[in-house]
Amino acid sequence: MEAKPSEKMTNPKPRDFLNHLETYLAKRDGVDKLLKISRYTTKIILASSLIPETNPLTHRLKSFESSVGVSRKAFRLGKFVQDINALRASRWRDSNRGLALLLILAYGGEGLYYLVEQFVWLSKSGLIDAKWLQKMSAWAELVGYVGSVSLKVRDLREIKEEEACVASTIEISVTRGIGCVGEEEKMRKLKEKKTMKVLSVLQDLADGLMAVADVRDGKVGVLSAPSVIASAGLFSAIISTHKDWVSC
């Protein structure tokens, strides 16, 4: 009779898909990432020249892509506050200089980006005239990604070191014929954490590539080609959608 509750705890019932979807769409980031997928999918179609320039559908797709871009900026209203809180929670003042600098670059750069993006949205909406802010926004975003990637690479090193310690413990336990269920579970969680961290680094690199293109302001280059930028945007959107879905 007492075995049933423990079975429920070890084998929880899978969450209903529609309930999970409702939770996902209730999050600001959830809707934002779906818009991001729509926007960069449209950009890929336009960059691929599958539809002739003279086709009326091309104009509609360009209009749709532009509208979605402006809509996404509206979802970032007040988002800079989360970076302020993240920087405060990181206790950067108590960290060594190198780590403190990375924390300021990551959270400070991203926070400034989201703050400036609010005014960029007002500019694109036609309320104010401040096109020069787009360059400032691009630089802040790029600085944020440099800090973010550096921090995540640092985290990956720590995860690998922890993995090595757990693997060593498991090896010793197996040699001595001792059970190591707890260590195996810990190793599984570490591998999942490492996978998500690697995906997060790849996402930041893709977004960073787009930030570089914005900083270059349309200058010709292989990495600035519309198809490359659109593909990077879609790749980033798919990864972040997966991460947000898992975290719900």
Side-chain angles (χ1 to χ4, degrees):
M1 295 291 290
E2 294 178 358
K4 289 184 179 179
S6 61
E7 279 181 21
K8 287 183 179 179
M9 290 183 69
T10 53
N11 299 303
K13 184 180 178 181
R15 189 173 188 182
D16 180 76
F17 173 77
L18 289 179
N19 287 335
H20 196 152
L21 181 62
E22 180 184 0
T23 303
Y24 177 78
L25 293 176
K27 295 175 64 177
R28 166 165 48 182
D29 285 343
V31 178
D32 178 55
K33 295 308 178 280
L34 291 180
L35 289 174
K36 188 174 182 179
I37 289 175
S38 301
R39 185 186 183 200
Y40 286 102
T41 299
T42 305
K43 276 181 169 288
I44 288 176
I45 294 172
L46 291 170
S48 64
S49 300
L50 291 173
I51 304 173
E53 190 71 27
T54 54
N55 193 313
L57 182 58
T58 301
H59 175 71
R60 292 179 184 176
L61 287 174
K62 287 182 178 179
S63 178
F64 171 76
E65 182 271 321
S66 178
S67 297
V68 171
V70 175
S71 298
R72 285 193 65 218
K73 293 185 187 303
F75 275 96
R76 295 167 183 169
L77 290 175
K79 200 171 180 181
F80 67 93
V81 177
Q82 74 181 19
D83 290 291
I84 295 175
N85 288 331
L87 185 59
R88 290 169 60 201
S90 68
R91 298 183 180 276
W92 61 275
R93 288 191 179 89
D94 302 327
S95 305
N96 60 63
R97 270 187 199 174
L99 179 57
L101 177 61
L102 291 179
L103 289 169
I104 292 171
L105 287 177
Y107 296 123
E110 186 178 76
L112 180 60
Y113 163 69
Y114 283 130
L115 177 62
V116 175
E117 277 291 280
Q118 296 181 146
F119 297 100
V120 173
W121 171 61
L122 293 176
S123 176
K124 286 185 174 291
S125 299
L127 186 62
I128 62 174
D129 185 15
K131 294 181 180 179
W132 60 272
L133 283 172
Q134 293 185 43
K135 179 74 77 172
M136 181 180 177
S137 171
W139 274 108
E141 184 181 21
L142 183 57
V143 168
Y145 285 129
V146 169
S148 180
V149 170
S150 301
L151 283 175
K152 288 168 184 174
V153 169
R154 183 190 179 102
D155 291 341
L156 278 172
R157 290 199 196 100
E158 293 178 357
I159 293 172
K160 287 181 179 178
E161 289 174 2
E162 196 172 350
E163 269 187 335
C165 291
V166 175
S168 177
T169 304
I170 292 174
E171 186 178 351
I172 294 171
S173 298
V174 170
T175 303
R176 295 178 177 177
I178 305 172
C180 53
V181 177
E183 286 75 11
E184 288 176 347
E185 178 64 16
K186 187 175 181 180
M187 178 64 82
R188 184 187 66 80
K189 290 181 178 179
L190 281 171
K191 287 184 181 297
E192 288 180 357
K193 185 178 179 181
K194 184 171 72 173
T195 299
M196 295 302 290
K197 191 70 69 174
V198 169
L199 287 175
S200 190
V201 170
L202 292 175
Q203 179 192 344
D204 281 353
L205 289 174
D207 285 330
L209 178 63
M210 291 190 290
V212 169
D214 289 338
V215 167
R216 286 170 56 84
D217 199 19
K219 290 181 181 178
V220 180
V222 177
L223 296 179
S224 299
S227 57
V228 174
I229 297 302
S231 298
L234 183 59
F235 178 69
S236 167
I238 291 172
I239 290 178
S240 53
T241 299
H242 170 70
K243 283 164 47 185
D244 290 341
W245 180 265
V246 170
S247 68
C248 281

